[in-house]
Amino acid sequence: MACCFRLFYGDSSLQWEESAIANAIIRAADAAHKQASVQMSPLVTKDYLVEVPAEELLLSQAGTQLRVVEYAPRVFKHFREDKRYGNNISYDAWKKVWTDTMNKPKAAQAGSGKSGASFILSAHNHYMIKTITKREAMIQKQILKDYISHFSKSPNSFLMRHLMLLRVEEIRNAQGSIGQTQYFLIFENVNDVPINMQVKTEKWDLKGRIPKPGKLPHVSHRVPKNKIGTDKDLMRNFKLSSTIYKQVVELLKHDTVFLQHHNLMDYSLFLCIVKLNTNLTGRKKIASSYDEENGLHPETAAQVLGKENVSFRQGCHKFHNGVLSADCTEVFYMGVIDCLTDYHKLKKLANCCKQFTFFEQQLSTIPSEAYGKRFYSFMSAIFQNKTKQTTIVGAPGFEPTLSS
């Protein structure tokens, strides 16, 4: 049976097979790649504004014709392939992943948030497809030039790497009138832990909020295996070497300033922790092979763990293969996710109403400046220099100053 999920929000029952989505991604990539004469020329302003329709797809199971439109194809192609942005995804590698996905589609998953978005993992778990709202798509389009510029200045950024943006339109009749529309964002999977290295993992989705009344924390080691822990559950710190700590905190600072500048909030740090569980000899071997300038060498960790045929995605930014803990017993895979929510009128109204019931430290719907300050303060506290002995229990610690 083909894997399907509901394509459009609302009451519509229109469905699209995951394999068809992968097919659309391949066709959009092909369309951009065919512009061979201009694909490597410098980007210009119009490249960020262009919308290119790919070949139309006909869904045999529903008899519905859909038009696929890619936003700024040359821009995203440059971003995927150019090492200056901390990426190194060739056209052939990108196409192969989605060809494999098309041949062996995975079932879509509903997100745990309130947005109602659905997610699809690519083959090999390297990338994800997410349904997003029109507002989120327009925000991505508006900030795209600055977003790309941010990565050119900070190629090791922890911001989620958005690799393609598509719009899918329902064609209702021969005259080409448009019915319902859905937007898809394709991005690098922050939780792309090499399959054979998934040994005793923890997962966290952290915003830096103080828990609201009645939100009781789990004891850290009793958080259910498949549960993603949140701020209220956090009962530990993450120790890093002095050099790595400074680098991680500095990158998070630049990322937060960028998000504040664009009035964005309600993002979080997704953190997946792999416990290496190796002996002292193994830890020393990992430590000796770890380059604090270029990051963790994954093959070394795989060898220490006795793992073979470990699949690693293409990439070249420093923390692409995780951040090694100070004692070499854990690897942290992390990224700042859900970065396309702005502090608009409805958020302001929600903030106004909730302030009668909760403290600002307990809310996500707060102005972007305050949200960024709190987020950075919290992350700077839970990641600790190994020489410090500070206790943090799911609450913001100090408040360092942000500056651009």
Side-chain angles (χ1 to χ4, degrees):
M1 177 180 292
C3 299
C4 296
F5 80 109
R6 197 160 72 179
L7 176 59
F8 299 107
Y9 292 117
D11 299 327
S12 172
S13 59
L14 182 61
Q15 294 182 328
W16 199 14
E17 294 182 5
E18 275 82 341
S19 58
I21 301 173
N23 191 11
I25 294 172
I26 292 170
R27 295 187 185 195
D30 284 342
H33 189 70
K34 287 177 181 177
Q35 299 178 3
S37 60
V38 295
Q39 64 186 25
M40 296 311 295
S41 60
L43 296 174
V44 295
T45 300
K46 69 176 184 179
D47 288 322
Y48 294 88
L49 306 175
V50 69
E51 301 175 14
V52 178
E55 184 178 346
E56 294 180 355
L57 304 175
L58 184 65
L59 301 184
S60 58
Q61 76 273 18
T64 303
Q65 195 172 29
L66 302 174
R67 178 165 52 233
V68 181
V69 178
E70 182 182 9
Y71 286 94
R74 285 194 65 235
V75 175
F76 282 107
K77 177 179 173 60
H78 271 253
F79 185 60
R80 291 193 299 268
E81 299 180 4
D82 198 327
K83 292 183 179 180
R84 289 178 300 172
Y85 307 121
N87 300 319
N88 185 25
I89 309 168
S90 68
Y91 163 71
D92 291 333
W94 180 253
K95 187 170 181 177
K96 183 181 185 306
V97 166
W98 295 110
T99 300
D100 291 347
T101 304
M102 184 171 63
N103 294 333
K104 293 183 179 180
K106 299 182 179 182
Q109 302 173 1
S112 57
K114 299 177 182 178
S115 66
S118 295
F119 298 83
I120 305 168
L121 269 172
S122 74
H124 317 297
N125 296 340
H126 295 339
Y127 312 108
M128 295 188 76
I129 308 169
K130 178 185 177 183
T131 57
I132 62 174
T133 64
K134 180 179 180 180
R135 187 179 189 91
E136 290 173 318
M138 293 304 101
I139 289 173
Q140 174 65 92
K141 186 177 178 181
Q142 290 166 9
I143 71 170
L144 184 56
K145 192 170 185 177
D146 286 348
Y147 178 81
I148 300 298
S149 176
H150 176 75
F151 279 93
S152 69
K153 298 173 184 175
S154 183
N156 296 319
S157 169
F158 286 111
L159 289 185
M160 192 165 71
R161 291 166 186 263
H162 301 164
L163 304 173
M164 183 178 277
L165 178 61
L166 302 178
R167 182 178 79 240
V168 180
E169 302 169 338
E170 178 190 11
I171 307 301
R172 285 186 168 174
N173 52 45
Q175 286 71 41
S177 63
I178 305 299
Q180 298 184 78
T181 301
Q182 180 64 69
Y183 299 85
F184 293 94
L185 182 66
I186 299 89
F187 52 89
E188 185 180 75
N189 180 15
V190 173
N191 187 27
D192 182 19
V193 179
I195 295 173
N196 289 344
M197 287 179 65
Q198 292 192 20
V199 181
K200 294 189 176 180
T201 57
E202 296 177 23
K203 294 180 182 179
W204 299 93
D205 191 334
L206 305 171
K207 295 186 176 184
R209 293 182 304 177
I210 294 176
K212 294 176 182 176
K215 298 287 187 178
L216 299 177
H218 293 276
V219 177
S220 182
H221 66 276
R222 292 181 181 174
V223 174
K225 183 177 180 181
N226 296 323
K227 175 182 169 59
I228 298 176
T230 59
D231 302 290
K232 67 180 177 61
D233 304 315
L234 189 62
M235 306 289 283
R236 60 161 295 181
N237 296 310
F238 309 104
K239 295 283 187 180
L240 304 174
S241 71
S242 300
T243 302
I244 296 301
Y245 171 78
K246 291 177 183 178
Q247 292 173 351
V248 167
V249 169
E250 188 66 16
L251 287 170
L252 287 172
K253 174 183 176 179
H254 288 308
D255 291 343
T256 305
V257 169
F258 170 81
L259 296 170
Q260 287 177 315
H261 177 72
H262 289 282
N263 196 33
L264 300 172
M265 38 74 73
D266 206 20
Y267 42 87
S268 58
L269 184 80
F270 191 89
L271 179 63
C272 181
I273 304 170
V274 174
K275 296 186 180 298
L276 296 180
N277 272 359
T278 185
N279 56 28
L280 180 60
T281 301
R283 291 200 296 274
K284 287 182 178 179
K285 186 175 181 180
I286 292 174
S288 65
S289 68
Y290 189 78
D291 184 346
E292 293 201 334
E293 290 302 321
N294 298 308
L296 179 66
H297 195 268
E299 285 80 359
T300 301
Q303 290 171 7
V304 171
L305 291 169
K307 303 295 181 181
E308 298 179 355
N309 301 319
V310 179
S311 174
F312 300 100
R313 67 173 183 256
Q314 297 292 313
C316 62
H317 54 92
K318 175 170 181 176
F319 299 118
H320 180 81
N321 292 305
V323 180
L324 187 64
S325 66
D327 62 1
C328 300
T329 61
E330 296 178 318
V331 180
F332 309 131
Y333 293 83
M334 59 187 184
V336 181
I337 65 171
D338 298 335
C339 305
L340 295 177
T341 300
D342 64 328
Y343 190 63
H344 54 80
K345 291 181 180 179
L346 290 179
K347 295 291 184 182
K348 293 177 182 178
L349 179 61
N351 174 265
C352 184
C353 295
K354 290 180 180 180
Q355 281 185 347
F356 291 103
T357 308
F358 304 108
F359 295 109
E360 184 177 80
Q361 295 92 332
Q362 298 171 324
L363 300 176
S364 291
T365 51
I366 62 175
S368 60
E369 192 71 23
Y371 190 96
K373 183 178 180 181
R374 185 181 70 189
F375 177 83
Y376 176 66
S377 172
F378 183 72
M379 300 311 158
S380 300
I382 62 171
F383 289 104
Q384 293 189 349
N385 185 323
K386 65 180 179 181
T387 60
K388 292 186 178 180
Q389 298 295 329
T390 307
T391 301
I392 185 80
V393 184
F398 54 90
E399 296 187 357
T401 302
L402 286 173
S403 61
S404 55

